[in-house]
Amino acid sequence: MKKLKIAKGQRILISGILTAVSFILNEIIGYEPITIIFMLASTILAGTPIFKKAVGALRYRIVGIDALVTIAVAGAVFIGEYWEAAAVTFLFMLGDYLEARTIEKTRSSIRALLDLAPDRARVRRDGVEVEISPEEAVKGDAVVVKPGERIPVDGTVIEGSAYINQSAITGESIPVSRSIDETVFSGTIIESGYLIIRADRVGDDTTFARILHMVEEAQDKKARTQKFLEKFSQYYTPAIILMSVLLYIITKDLVLALTLLVIACPGALVISAPVSIVAGIGNGAKHGVLVKGGEIMEKLGTVKALAFDKTGTLTVGKPSVKQIKAYNISEDEVLRLAAIGESYSEHPLARAILAEAAEKLGVITETAGKTEIITGQGILFKTGGKSYLIGSRKLFEANGINIERQEEYLKSEEEKGQTAVLLGDMEKVLGIISIADIVRKDAKKLILSLRSKGIHKIVMLTGDNKRAARAISDELGLDGFYAELLPEDKVRVLGELQNKYGRTGMVGDGVNDAPALASADLGIAIGGAGTDVAMETADVVLMSSEVKKLSYAIGLSRATVRNMKQNIYFALFVAALLLAGVLIKTVNLSFGMLIHEASVLLVIINAVRLLGYGKRENEVLNVSIKGI
């Protein structure tokens, strides 16, 4: 490949020198034999690759720009316009070379992903560490990864702890901590610490390999606009040849006909859509947003309504302590006693209390003495020689403890969709701990950002009860909610939204929302890293759990479509301008080719701007966040 590029560069350099020499000779001595020799030498050197491409394409019945240029150059030589032939072949070859170099820039994000693929794996086999290719790793291998190295498999940590840069998978720039029993992904980098990982997914089955595969597939899935332009060019190019023939028959002006042939080439128009789509998909992949094809990229920015799943999407997905109400003792004492009572419980509410106590009070060494678990009610336990209760209303009522004084507060907390856990001794209530699934930190900012982007309707679909759903909906300022839904109910509600508002997207966690994700106009999975269902079902996968990236994805879609339209309008304008110039005989063959190649390059350079979209979007997000 490298030799090919060098040969092409040398060919351009030599033909450029020959063209320049022939131009100088023509100015000094005119169309003498020596001048013509230099012009023909330049034409042959630069024109040979063009001629070969044209013949190769014709074998497959494709009449492309190479064929048009070949016909025009042959015609120019036939009528003695040697300078035009030399200039056109050199400019076309130079433009093709610059175009290839520039278009590589649009693929830089995808190429950067490929560069992140791990190239070695260190595994322990029979008590010995050996280095192998990642493709040779097998499930169950103990993989050793040291600071600065890339993790070569998807797996579970069995020893060590480390801070890992997961930007290749999730787009998150801040390293995350991982230790025993936690999951790690191939392609991520250990910044500090070390890990021994049990390989769960290897080779092409890893999350990183699947991302690369899907990004490559996405580039081949064409947008509607792109498909239309390609179909258009199939008919347009032969039509131009026919038009040139008719122009020659009418005017008897072969130079004019040949000029029309080259000038009307739809090069910039045909490339205007795909180059923008490739740049947009590459940008998304770099920022942890996997868009599955050009058509999806086009549709994403046109969504009119969004339906969010609640648990794991708008909320964290696990219960957390929201508030502590204390009676005649401190809140910390309520939390301490509750943690002692729940120390042996596996209930999700108990884990929430223990997590809050660990964060606020540190390690609690005391343990409960006699403990009795009362199914469906709570726990009776002893500590410090005194008996306590922790649980629901039923537990306190069954033990004859009056809770009338706390009833109003309990109802208010339950109206907010929170679960109230009571703590007391055998005489009275000592405190109430309110527990609920908490809203993600960036969820409210996301809703505001989506509204600013013109999303008409934002609702929540959940299987949870109405009180919990209403509390989340009110907190986030949603347009409404649908509660107590089964999976088939979510599909039905999505159909109603589609009929009323038009294109509707469903946003879920990709695990239990597969039917809804599949039935929506656009299925968007959040936190899809490592999740098979998210990868396969959703049209757009946000690889991290940062819901704010949905706003980024919609903004990127709109920027990509806007960029594509700019390219199309520009290409059409230049084509019309050149065509008019040809018909009034103010544009000659070589000048027309120069403008044509310049327009192709400008279209590509405009698409390259999409690669910088993230920087601008982050600046806007930071400003808007400060204002909230």
Side-chain angles (χ1 to χ4, degrees), residues 17-50:
I17 292 169
L18 290 172
T19 304
V21 169
S22 64
F23 176 78
I24 293 168
L25 288 173
N26 188 44
E27 290 296 313
I28 296 172
I29 62 174
Y31 248 50
E32 295 298 324
I34 186 66
T35 307
I36 295 170
I37 289 170
F38 271 99
M39 290 177 179
L40 288 174
S42 175
T43 302
I44 293 167
L45 189 64
T48 301
I50 302 168

Side-chain angles (χ1 to χ4, degrees), residues 2 7 98 125 137 141 162 196 203 266 324 359 373 385 462 470 512 581 612:
K2 194 172 181 182
L98 294 175
R125 290 178 178 171
D141 268 340
I196 298 178
I324 299 172
E359 184 179 334
I373 298 174
T462 179
R470 181 178 288 107
N512 57 358

Side-chain angles (χ1 to χ4, degrees), residues 6-255:
I6 292 170
K8 192 172 184 179
Q10 288 175 338
R11 186 183 291 269
I12 290 168
L13 178 63
I14 295 167
S15 64
I17 292 169
L18 290 172
T19 304
V21 169
S22 64
F23 176 78
I24 293 168
L25 288 173
N26 188 44
E27 290 296 313
I28 296 172
I29 62 174
Y31 248 50
E32 295 298 324
I34 186 66
T35 307
I36 295 170
I37 289 170
F38 271 99
M39 290 177 179
L40 288 174
S42 175
T43 302
I44 293 167
L45 189 64
T48 301
I50 302 168
F51 173 74
K52 286 180 178 177
K53 278 188 186 178
V55 171
L58 286 171
R59 286 177 183 169
Y60 297 97
R61 297 180 180 179
I62 298 171
V63 181
I65 186 171
D66 297 284
L68 298 184
V69 171
T70 299
I71 295 169
V73 169
V77 171
F78 177 74
I79 61 175
E81 293 286 347
Y82 305 116
W83 165 247
E84 297 291 347
V88 166
T89 50
F90 170 69
L91 286 170
F92 184 79
M93 191 178 184
L94 177 63
D96 186 57
Y97 175 74
L98 294 175
E99 179 184 328
R101 291 291 299 270
T102 313
I103 206 168
E104 272 296 300
K105 181 68 176 172
T106 66
R107 296 179 179 268
S108 63
S109 295
I110 296 167
R111 193 169 58 250
L113 273 181
L114 291 169
D115 292 341
L116 292 175
D119 58 0
R120 61 175 182 166
R122 187 186 295 106
V123 299
R124 282 185 182 171
R125 290 178 178 171
D126 300 323
V128 179
E129 284 188 14
V130 292
E131 279 196 12
I132 59 173
S133 165
E135 288 76 23
E136 296 176 279
V138 295
K139 285 182 70 173
D141 268 340
V143 182
V144 182
V145 191
K146 298 178 180 179
E149 295 181 345
R150 296 189 190 281
I151 296 173
V153 297
D154 285 5
T156 306
V157 178
I158 56 176
E159 185 181 319
S161 63
Y163 278 95
I164 299 175
N165 183 334
Q166 295 194 145
S167 59
I169 300 293
T170 65
E172 297 166 296
S173 57
I174 300 172
V176 295
S177 174
R178 289 291 179 265
S179 55
I180 293 173
D181 291 335
E182 293 186 301
T183 302
V184 294
F185 301 113
S186 169
T188 58
I189 304 169
I190 291 186
E191 295 204 343
S192 63
Y194 87 100
L195 296 175
I196 298 178
I197 302 158
R198 182 188 69 238
D200 298 330
R201 293 175 182 266
V202 297
D204 291 339
D205 197 32
T206 64
T207 300
F208 185 77
R210 285 184 294 151
I211 289 172
L212 284 179
H213 178 65
M214 287 184 176
V215 169
E216 287 166 354
E217 275 192 337
Q219 294 176 78
D220 296 328
K221 292 178 182 176
K222 297 170 182 177
R224 285 184 181 179
T225 307
Q226 185 178 347
K227 290 175 186 174
F228 171 77
L229 289 175
E230 288 181 358
K231 195 170 183 180
F232 169 77
S233 68
Q234 289 176 2
Y235 297 99
Y236 176 82
T237 305
I240 288 300
I241 295 174
L242 183 61
M243 191 186 297
S244 299
V245 171
L246 289 173
L247 186 65
Y248 173 69
I249 292 171
I250 294 167
T251 64
K252 304 299 181 184
D253 189 336
L254 186 57
V255 173

Side-chain angles (χ1 to χ4, degrees), residues 253-272:
D253 189 336
L254 186 57
V255 173
L256 183 64
L258 294 173
T259 304
L260 175 66
L261 202 64
V262 172
I263 299 312
C265 291
L269 186 62
V270 171
I271 204 171
S272 58

Side-chain angles (χ1 to χ4, degrees), residues 547-558:
V547 291
K548 68 182 181 184
K549 287 201 171 179
L550 175 56
S551 177
Y552 178 90
I554 290 173
L556 176 62
S557 166
R558 291 181 178 179

